[in-house]
Amino acid sequence: MKKIFLVIIALLLFSGASFAQRGLNCFPIFEGKVVPAKQMVLTEVRGGGMATYKLDYYRGITFTVDSALAEKVSALVGQDAVDAESCETEKVGDLLTYALIQPKVSGRIRHYLCYQAKPAGSQWRITILYLEGPATLEDLRSMFEKQ
């Protein structure tokens, strides 16, 4: 009985992070509705290993797409930047190439959306991260500078 209870609690925690993302315009990207899931590399981490980074949850996707699809992805992330409590962005022409977004606060947990697009020949390599935890924007900036 105790094991079943723990499994139910774990499922609720994982689904909570997914629900938090649903308020974002870029949520369909994470769900494989913009870029096919088979083209994406998905990384998801939760728990103690993230404490070093002051994070509770990390969900990242990386994919390579043509310019047309890169613009579509860029537009969705750009919409989240417009609606955000705080954001930093960089563009090349109309294409968003960098964003550090803190969506509007919806409780005690901080949420962040990080985006980077780099040219890869005639295509674009895009990485999008969704983060949750007590980390501040300064913590994230410091962490990204080291990499």
Side-chain angles (χ1 to χ4, degrees):
M1 183 69 173
K2 187 175 182 179
K3 286 182 181 181
I4 292 173
F5 179 72
L6 291 174
V7 169
I8 291 171
I9 294 296
L11 288 173
L12 288 173
L13 289 172
F14 279 111
S15 65
S18 179
F19 286 123
Q21 287 174 277
R22 291 193 184 181
L24 298 173
N25 293 298
C26 69
F27 178 72
I29 302 168
F30 282 93
E31 293 297 297
K33 295 178 181 174
V34 178
V35 176
K38 65 183 178 188
Q39 285 181 242
M40 296 189 294
V41 174
L42 171 67
T43 305
E44 227 172 336
V45 182
R46 175 182 295 283
M50 299 302 298
T52 304
Y53 304 103
K54 299 181 184 177
L55 294 171
D56 300 323
Y57 180 68
Y58 169 103
R59 186 175 189 194
I61 53 174
T62 302
F63 49 87
T64 302
V65 293
D66 62 21
S67 294
L69 202 45
E71 288 177 17
K72 185 173 184 178
V73 169
S74 169
L76 289 169
V77 174
Q79 289 173 357
D80 288 322
V82 169
D83 298 336
E85 179 175 311
S86 170
C87 73
E88 300 171 10
T89 60
E90 293 177 14
K91 288 186 171 188
V92 171
D94 289 337
L95 185 72
L96 187 64
T97 56
Y98 166 82
L100 179 55
I101 301 167
Q102 183 177 13
K104 291 194 180 186
V105 178
S106 60
R108 298 176 130 195
I109 298 173
R110 293 182 178 141
H111 306 269
Y112 299 99
L113 184 64
C114 308
Y115 168 90
Q116 183 179 51
K118 290 184 173 184
S122 63
Q123 299 197 323
W124 289 89
R125 183 157 179 81
I126 297 175
T127 301
I128 306 173
L129 308 177
Y130 173 80
L131 310 169
E132 288 182 1
T136 64
L137 282 171
E138 291 75 29
D139 293 329
L140 294 179
R141 282 189 206 104
S142 174
M143 181 173 42
F144 294 144
E145 285 176 7
K146 293 177 185 175
Q147 298 178 6

